[in-house]
Amino acid sequence: MEAPTTKKLSNKDKMMTAAIDLMAERGYKGVATKEIAASAGFSEMTLFRYFGSKRKLLEEAIDRFYYTGEMQRIFAEEMVWDLRNDLLLISKTYHEIMHQNRKLIRIVLQDNELADLRKHAEKHPRQLKERLTDYFESMQSKGRMIPTRSEAQAMTFMWMNYGAFMTGLYGASSMTAVSLEEFMQSSIELFARGLTT
């Protein structure tokens, strides 16, 4: 797990990061709470005091490291109301955070016992869909985008980026020489050209 480098890691972050690294190697079932705690430099009792269980630790890791907080910030502070620039910023931020979380995402996707955590993680893309929908509605009211169903455009944008991430997660280099940067530039250009007035 590539932990955030700009902040000093809290004790909880250290334990979550250690858990993700160990589970990425051996699977969710292959790692004991005692090993997670020891790897992070704590006792198992400390892990239980913070999280209560291994499953709760993973649930908190999803909420802590997923993109919701950073997306909330950029929608609130960094939108310039230019479709190309804004969508490129959103796309780059999404891919940076998803790349950092690739181990966590693989853990949750690969273990059938974690279906409830996959359901829990759905709140993050739901919130992104709501922010994108609101953004597209605002762009239309400002006259900077053609009239369209905002939710449909939000989902199209999200599916496009999720598909690119998943392809990369499972070996895009064997399928295409198109880089992630080229994908973002090309797809956003098509998206913006089709939607701008």
Side-chain angles (χ1 to χ4, degrees):
M1 174 82 190
E2 294 176 29
T5 54
T6 54
K7 301 176 196 170
K8 186 178 178 202
L9 290 178
S10 70
N11 291 346
K12 286 180 90 170
D13 285 351
K14 288 176 185 174
M15 283 186 260
M16 287 186 281
T17 301
I20 291 164
D21 286 341
L22 289 169
M23 289 177 198
E25 290 175 21
R26 302 197 325 247
Y28 175 77
K29 288 181 252 180
V31 179
T33 51
K34 190 172 188 175
E35 294 174 278
I36 295 167
S39 178
F42 299 97
S43 69
E44 188 177 27
M45 185 60 71
T46 302
L47 184 146
F48 284 125
R49 191 170 60 242
Y50 278 120
F51 300 105
S53 69
K54 183 168 64 167
R55 183 172 292 269
K56 184 68 176 162
L57 181 154
L58 205 52
E59 182 180 313
E60 285 198 36
I62 290 167
D63 289 340
R64 168 67 179 89
F65 296 120
Y66 235 88
Y67 54 70
T68 301
E70 183 60 12
M71 286 297 183
Q72 183 177 352
R73 187 192 68 75
I74 66 170
F75 274 95
E77 300 173 10
E78 295 194 32
M79 296 295 96
V80 295
W81 305 105
D82 173 83
L83 198 60
R84 282 176 182 82
N85 289 331
D86 290 342
L87 293 182
L88 187 58
L89 174 62
I90 294 163
S91 188
K92 283 183 176 180
T93 303
Y94 173 87
H95 285 287
E96 285 169 10
I97 295 170
M98 292 295 276
H99 180 74
Q100 287 173 353
N101 289 319
R102 66 194 179 280
K103 289 180 183 178
L104 176 59
I105 292 163
R106 272 194 170 144
I107 292 163
V108 174
L109 289 177
Q110 290 176 345
D111 194 316
N112 290 332
E113 283 189 29
L114 301 178
D116 60 321
L117 289 183
R118 287 194 289 277
K119 194 83 174 150
H120 174 79
E122 285 178 10
K123 70 181 180 181
H124 298 283
R126 283 182 197 278
Q127 289 174 13
L128 178 56
K129 182 196 76 167
E130 289 168 13
R131 285 192 174 84
L132 279 166
T133 301
D134 291 345
Y135 170 79
F136 289 140
E137 287 174 0
S138 295
M139 286 292 281
Q140 289 175 66
S141 69
K142 293 173 187 292
R144 296 182 179 178
M145 207 171 115
I146 63 169
T148 186
R149 185 165 178 232
S150 297
E151 184 180 354
Q153 300 309 325
M155 288 308 302
T156 301
F157 184 77
M158 289 175 62
W159 280 330
M160 175 178 72
N161 281 284
Y162 182 71
F165 168 73
M166 290 302 288
T167 302
L169 187 65
Y170 291 104
S173 59
S174 63
M175 183 187 300
T176 181
V178 175
S179 70
L180 181 60
E181 183 64 33
E182 186 180 353
F183 155 76
M184 286 189 286
Q185 293 289 344
S186 174
S187 60
I188 289 166
E189 180 59 29
L190 288 170
F191 209 91
R193 195 182 305 164
L195 294 175
T196 47
T197 53

